[in-house]
Amino acid sequence: MGLEQALADFFNHMGLLHLTVGNIVMIIVGLTLVYLAIRYKMEPLLLLPIGISAVLVNLPFSHLANWPLAPQLPPDIQGNIFETVKYMNQHYGPPGIFDLIYYLLIKTEVVPLLIFFGLGAMTDFGPMIADPKTALLGAAAQIGVFVAMLAAILLGFDLKEAASIGIIGGADGPTTIYLTTKLAPHILSATAVAAYSYMSLVPLIQPPVIKALTTPEERRIRMEQLRPVSKREKILFPIASMIVIGLLVPSAAPLIGMLMIGNLFRESGVVQRLSKAAQEELMNIVTIFLGLGVGSTMRAESFLTAKTLMILGLGIVAFASATAGGVLFGKLMMKLSGGKINPMIGAAGVSAVPMSARVVQKLASEEDPGNFILMHAMGPNVAGVIGTAVVAGVFLSALG
Amino acid sequence: MGLEQALADFFNHMGLLHLTVGNIVMIIVGLTLVYLAIRYKMEPLLLLPIGISAVLVNLPFSHLANWPLAPQLPPDIQGNIFETVKYMNQHYGPPGIFDLIYYLLIKTEVVPLLIFFGLGAMTDFGPMIADPKTALLGAAAQIGVFVAMLAAILLGFDLKEAASIGIIGGADGPTTIYLTTKLAPHILSATAVAAYSYMSLVPLIQPPVIKALTTPEERRIRMEQLRPVSKREKILFPIASMIVIGLLVPSAAPLIGMLMIGNLFRESGVVQRLSKAAQEELMNIVTIFLGLGVGSTMRAESFLTAKTLMILGLGIVAFASATAGGVLFGKLMMKLSGGKINPMIGAAGVSAVPMSARVVQKLASEEDPGNFILMHAMGPNVAGVIGTAVVAGVFLSALG
Amino acid sequence: MGLEQALADFFNHMGLLHLTVGNIVMIIVGLTLVYLAIRYKMEPLLLLPIGISAVLVNLPFSHLANWPLAPQLPPDIQGNIFETVKYMNQHYGPPGIFDLIYYLLIKTEVVPLLIFFGLGAMTDFGPMIADPKTALLGAAAQIGVFVAMLAAILLGFDLKEAASIGIIGGADGPTTIYLTTKLAPHILSATAVAAYSYMSLVPLIQPPVIKALTTPEERRIRMEQLRPVSKREKILFPIASMIVIGLLVPSAAPLIGMLMIGNLFRESGVVQRLSKAAQEELMNIVTIFLGLGVGSTMRAESFLTAKTLMILGLGIVAFASATAGGVLFGKLMMKLSGGKINPMIGAAGVSAVPMSARVVQKLASEEDPGNFILMHAMGPNVAGVIGTAVVAGVFLSALG
Amino acid sequence: MAEFLEGLYITVLGVTVVFAVLSILAIVMYGIGWSEKRLVEKEKPKNIEEKPAEKREEVKEEKGLDEKKIAIITAAIMAYLSQKRPKEVPIKRKPSQNWWLSGLTTYVEEVENFNYEIGKW
Amino acid sequence: MAEFLEGLYITVLGVTVVFAVLSILAIVMYGIGWSEKRLVEKEKPKNIEEKPAEKREEVKEEKGLDEKKIAIITAAIMAYLSQKRPKEVPIKRKPSQNWWLSGLTTYVEEVENFNYEIGKW
Amino acid sequence: MAEFLEGLYITVLGVTVVFAVLSILAIVMYGIGWSEKRLVEKEKPKNIEEKPAEKREEVKEEKGLDEKKIAIITAAIMAYLSQKRPKEVPIKRKPSQNWWLSGLTTYVEEVENFNYEIGKW
Ligand code: NA
Ligand code: NA
Ligand code: NA
């Protein structure tokens, strides 16, 4: 090999010379996410890693992610993760670090489930236990999921894609990632980015919808003080709900099971060490891998399509109709309860915890500064997490 | 697919309709462990995850653990963990999160060894270094392991099962899990649950045995103050014992090696960062995986057998005879030393650190409130950890 | 099986009887590293785990590392990590914990890249941003890498080995491990140990070289106060450098990319949770695995060769010539700037951060106690990390 | 259109299931709440005797210790501790460890500040 | 010798590339620095009005609160907290948990010290 | 019965090995202890001269600083720091971050308490 040859080889593999328009656009998209995360603190824990990882994988030959996301696999190895990685290595070369994260940690569900485990350890289901009927509002908000799904079908998406798009309306990042990975991995980056982006835009998306559907009088409704919840109840709740939901919707058991194990660790009070680990050491590490892994799926070929734009549009539809679903059911409950329930708390069934509950509180305060319904809104809020996981279970059992 | 079909399908896969009596019993067993862990703080860091994980895996179709524990494998792939997981995926579908934990983290020894690493970083071998002869009491207590093993053979267990059952008497959870995983994985849940349960019952199991074998005069024996141990000695000890044991019983080298690396990290004083990680970050994460993984092996088909009841019975035999072995050897040492050694400290050779040492102290205080032998009991106590690992090594080399 | 047979078998597998001279020498080498780490605090976070792990793997039959390091693989599975581990398991038995660490975490680049990620989160590039021209000194110091490489070729090493040896002069442990694992895994332990040992010997290696190449007057040169660097600049830097270097030298993208992601996490200020995890939880765990994994490659057959001695010798050559390269380029810059640059800061281009910068400061203080150039030396110091990663990228693209 | 119809079926199924599940969960929670209430009522009579005692004790403690005195005592203890601690842990960090211990930055910033201070003069 | 020649080629390539890359990076950094400077200049006029206000406020605060008073208040708060906290979290550790909680050592050392104390008498 | 016999063999082997290993380990530990004792004896003469000096120093320090003064100084420093710190780190948490930062609970509990307080009026 002469020097000229060496130089020629080196230049031939210089990424700069292989940069496509798609790469450039994706780099800009990634940088935009980074900017939004840093400047406006939009879900920075996810959107910052996602954005910067999208930048990196769109530098040609960067070898952080070498494998395609939705490869054509021989039929006999589909569904066999161990055969799949072997095949990928054979056909696309050794895995980059992002391939390992995506194929071994995200596609195997490990990371989304561990995040749910950590969320369980962080969540206080007290407000829902204190007033169980508010759990129904967490169910009502799931209507948005189905509205968006149907809209997606009308726009030409197939059923599996439509379900993955609809679930964005559940406003639960890990559930969205979990379901999309299983049903339609080729649109993972779009649904994940939509879910996290809109979650952070809840304070902009929800108020107009809520205001359009409620009167100032309704927004002014004060609610009774929530009863205190004992430690015993808080311990029994995760156990009971894990068994109840596990027996009714087994396909939701992984999500609900891990969430409730985390919550039991939290409430039991005897394993603080493990509860802390679930919330901190493990959660932080897993969050890093989730962000980098999801971001690494933002490739020009799969992201820069009309589908992505439609998904972003449908995401708004999903959030708005979920809000509407919750508020309308809230109005029904208000009527049935003789005006004891502020219908706005239904909007908190969109589970961007605790943001949508805060939005509700803010709107209540605007009408009446002495009206405190945040805690009442927390009930539907955490119920919405459960509701979305149940819906994901239904999708998996019907389509998976 | 019509709605009726969809509904029929959904109901056909509803776990509730497939719940077997075995499942129900296992769920109750799991809940009992959770109750004992929370209410009586019985080894909660292990028994809580084990119990709740047992509940989850016994909900039909819950997809957290899809693979059998002791599958019939083609002979050419036995012992090849990578072929095994591929085969399992092919025959039993994609792994659930608990399958991944069990097959990739526990069966590969990674988790038990990392726990031993953390335990090493938590253990102070000072009391044993200060009075090396007490290490022999840690050997004597291993007699219980062999008594239980022989009893198990008489009850019809084969040699490998019997060895796994006997090691319960060593009172070291990770060693029990390590050995059972290698020799008799189908009884893992029974031996693990027995080991951790009885460890937390040491204050109930040991006192009657000790009292039956000692006179009040013997229990009143005061022991000389232990000499101080220098930092240099504490650094040399893990290195020396790793080499000595590694050369004599190579099959015990993984357990002893990881234990002593952890201890060297601790005592060296120059890698506090790593020592802290071994004791905290890493330990917590690994403990979560150990508990969930072991609990996921509590399936009706393998747990609800007469064998399990026998194992639980033999576990008591193991603990009691280990205590007796320690105390009797303690009496021998008392005679040989001219009454300078309190024979009770032999009971601490059962290594449930530091509980059996505390039991001994309590019995000493009962006879003479001014008698402090806790530190002397810590010597046999930590020696018992080493002793059990050595016995496990012998089992592996003879039967593995 | 009779008792005699059992005993015979046991003794036949007693490590003591199979200890080779090579093992004994390697155990002594390992203990020496442990001693240096504890007694003289020589890079203890790496050299302590490396040393003790070397001791363990050289106890015969210890089953912590069963697989050879550079096995003869059938051509069709070379480069396929998943086929490789399967093949290894088939031919050399189940993996020990160190085999898993080495083959799955180190050989796949995961650990070195995660260390770079953590280093990025720990590094303040401020001094380099404040005075960008000092970055060139970080390039100049890489000359040492090439000098050592050429010397290695002359001594009979092949190109891939020579490149791995040369990179020692970059004074970046993870980069050395990353490159050697890819180009010449059979000399990994020698290059890793050389890199970390000499990094801690920088205060001994550099001063004579610096003094030989500079006059006291030059060492006395005071430099202008560095300008303050804004948060915005610190955020833009990792993004810009990731893109620039990624486009120019794609093969350096994994190292530089992970480094800069870590740095962006740090400087963005919106993901402290993740930045802390990168620096602590994750870093500590990964460091443990790196040390144990690298140490486990110190086997008699691959380490006890004339090559290792030559590598240790060439390592010194690399460090010394890197220092010289930096200082000489520093003198050039001094001339061009009209004496405004202290040439000594070029020596800090050897990136043992922040040690070489401190060495420079110490020499400056010796000549003039009021001369503070530490911050100016930090520029080349962090630039040296980037420079070495770029050189590793060139090697990979030319030889990998 | 077949797809949309199937979507509708799934919607009906899904909405039914999610409402059913959360309703059942709500009923279970009401059950838990109700049994908790009964349990507490059972336990109360016993506690009534105990609690006042506890409370009295607390009040005593609070009266017994004048806040001002506590302030001084606390400060004294802290001062004593702060005097003690550095001697107990004579940390001698090696430069290279600084890097690992993330001390690099702190150190660098220290010097930076120092340099700026000097620059002012 | 062929190998050495190739090594030389790589050296030329490598040195060129590393200098080129770091030069470009330096230029980029100069660019960032220059645009930062321009941005700051643009922003300055606005800040001038704001900053003095802030500063005055700070000064006020510092004047308003006498250091001595703060000391007493702080200590009082801390004393109050230290009085409160132990009651809120009545930790009842089980022996076996000590082991896990790495408390073993501490505990052991405690007793060790205690034993030595006794040994003295 | 063959199994039991084999079990007996393993028992004999195992008991022998475990006693042998721990005996050898004990001997090694006695060896370490003995060499430590010799080393310390060798080192002692040197230390005797150094130690008193150290002790005197400590005593001095303790005398030099009156505990009361230290208490006041400490409190003052703390007060100063507590005044400083909040300004240095003006944390502006976004609601969604609360969730992540596990702050959710704290926040929820805060409001819960607040609600209860209001409930009392
Ligand atoms: Na939701
Ligand atoms: Na034991
Ligand atoms: Na370098």
Side-chain angles (χ1 to χ4, degrees), chain F residues 19-57:
Chain F
F19 270 101
V21 167
L22 281 167
S23 301
I24 295 172
L25 206 58
I27 293 167
V28 170
M29 284 187 280
Y30 278 120
I32 292 174
W34 177 82
S35 65
E36 174 70 19
K37 211 174 150 191
R38 287 214 36 184
L39 271 169
V40 171
E41 270 162 20
K42 263 206 220 155
E43 284 172 13
K44 244 183 196 166
K46 294 179 217 158
N47 289 345
I48 287 171
E49 297 156 40
E50 287 173 32
K51 269 198 178 163
E54 259 179 65
K55 264 194 186 166
R56 246 173 277 146
E57 212 174 352

Side-chain angles (χ1 to χ4, degrees), chain B residues 138 141-142 145 167 169-172 175 349-352 381-389:
Chain B
Q142 307 313 317
V145 172
I167 209 80
D172 286 302
T175 309
V350 173
S351 49
N381 214 190
V382 294
V385 178
I386 297 174
T388 307

